[in-house]
Amino acid sequence: MKEYAILLDNTFCTGCNSCAYRCIQEFRYHDQASKGLFRTFVSINDGGLYHRRCMHCLDPQCVRNCPVKALTKSDYGPVLYDAKVCIGCQTCVRVCPFHIPQFDEASKKIVKCSLCAQRLGDGKQPACVEICPTGALQFGEYGAMKTLALKRAKEKKLKLYGYDEGGGTHVFVLTKEDSAAAGYPNVQKKALKSGRASLDGGLGVPAMAVLAVTGMKKFSERRARIEAETKNEKP
Ligand code: SF4
Ligand code: SF4
């Protein structure tokens, strides 16, 4: 089964937070957002832009340590969260090397991106990727995104974050400046882990078939368009 990933090129990001607003709309968590709880959010820091979002680790510590398996690693990439199973112990908050899960005191549940699993099943891209007005966010097959991230990092002399931090992730981040200065946590780099640490929580075969046939056409079209734009980008 194919794995998927996000490529975030911060050099195209304006910090407009359209991705964050669209995410709130998609999952209808306005109350949580008003309390500073976000599945994704862009901060403009002195050293650059920081997108706070789950990195969907290849070997996720949150999955390894959750005592009730409320967090599961899907075999197509995303780390999924089941609020109905969660007992609110906050172990994931403590063990995540990227400091991502946020605890909602009101609901006693976690706030974390699940990479729009329900949209992928419908053959759509994650909502944040779809709405991004500058093409800073791209979504596609893991190997293709990794290759593109490495190529662009080399050609544009950018820093690549998420490649081997914590054993690798499904989110590749390109920054002009040092990632730590931009706000990204300093996470120990390790040899890449298998992308299939656990097969719990994956989409069923019918849903993946829809994704493969319908969704990839859209992803390919978008990727081609952004690639063309990249060639013509301003210095
Ligand atoms: S970034 Fe944190 S919450 Fe996301 S998969 Fe990795 S360990 Fe889990
Ligand atoms: S807070 Fe919920 S998701 Fe996090 S480790 Fe505890 S049970 Fe698992």
Side-chain angles (χ1 to χ4, degrees):
M1 189 171 285
K2 285 184 178 174
E3 293 176 48
Y4 296 90
I6 280 188
L7 170 58
L8 162 61
D9 188 337
N10 257 339
T11 64
F12 292 132
C13 177
T14 61
C16 68
N17 261 311
S18 297
C19 47
Y21 296 127
R22 180 68 187 87
C23 179
I24 294 165
Q25 186 186 48
E26 178 75 17
F27 293 97
R28 305 203 173 279
Y29 61 98
H30 301 74
D31 285 351
Q32 289 178 325
S34 70
K35 292 184 285 187
L37 303 169
F38 295 98
R39 294 174 183 222
T40 183
F41 192 80
V42 188
S43 308
I44 303 175
N45 300 318
D46 288 346
L49 295 173
Y50 168 50
H51 283 237
R52 188 181 196 284
R53 57 165 60 222
C54 177
M55 300 295 285
H56 298 285
C57 303
L58 299 187
D59 181 22
Q61 293 306 308
C62 59
V63 173
R64 279 193 181 280
N65 290 283
C66 176
V68 293
K69 297 196 185 323
L71 290 148
T72 52
K73 176 73 175 166
S74 69
D75 50 359
Y76 61 100
V79 170
L80 307 174
Y81 170 62
D82 188 342
K84 293 192 292 300
V85 176
C86 176
I87 55 173
C89 69
Q90 301 183 62
T91 301
C92 55
V93 176
R94 290 189 288 276
V95 300
C96 172
F98 295 95
H99 312 304
I100 294 302
Q102 290 176 289
F103 187 64
D104 182 357
E105 289 287 350
S107 65
K108 305 295 180 199
K109 301 295 179 188
I110 293 303
V111 179
K112 186 195 90 69
C113 159
S114 288
L115 209 62
C116 280
Q118 81 295 350
R119 289 176 58 89
L120 303 193
D122 290 339
K124 298 176 186 167
Q125 300 185 72
C128 58
V129 176
E130 189 177 84
I131 200 70
C132 178
T134 65
L137 287 163
Q138 284 179 257
F139 178 79
E141 195 266 322
Y142 173 79
M145 291 295 102
K146 183 162 77 172
T147 302
L148 183 56
L150 289 166
K151 179 171 174 278
R152 202 177 286 177
K154 190 175 175 193
E155 286 175 359
K156 294 172 70 178
K157 296 188 174 32
L158 301 174
K159 309 280 190 303
L160 175 56
Y161 182 85
Y163 178 78
D164 52 4
E165 275 79 7
T169 78
H170 282 90
V171 179
F172 301 108
V173 184
L174 293 168
T175 56
K176 199 170 278 179
E177 56 287 309
D178 181 68
S179 54
Y184 288 88
N186 209 344
V187 176
Q188 189 185 1
K189 297 183 181 215
K190 296 180 188 166
L192 295 193
K193 300 281 185 183
S194 162
R196 295 171 189 189
S198 161
L199 297 184
D200 291 345
L203 283 179
V205 171
M208 286 310 298
V210 173
L211 172 62
V213 175
T214 314
M216 286 314 293
K217 182 168 181 292
K218 289 181 69 176
F219 305 150
S220 302
E221 288 169 358
R222 179 176 172 81
R223 191 155 59 224
R225 180 176 63 75
I226 291 169
E227 280 296 285
E229 287 171 358
T230 302
K231 282 186 191 141
N232 298 324
E233 72 182 271
K234 299 184 186 90

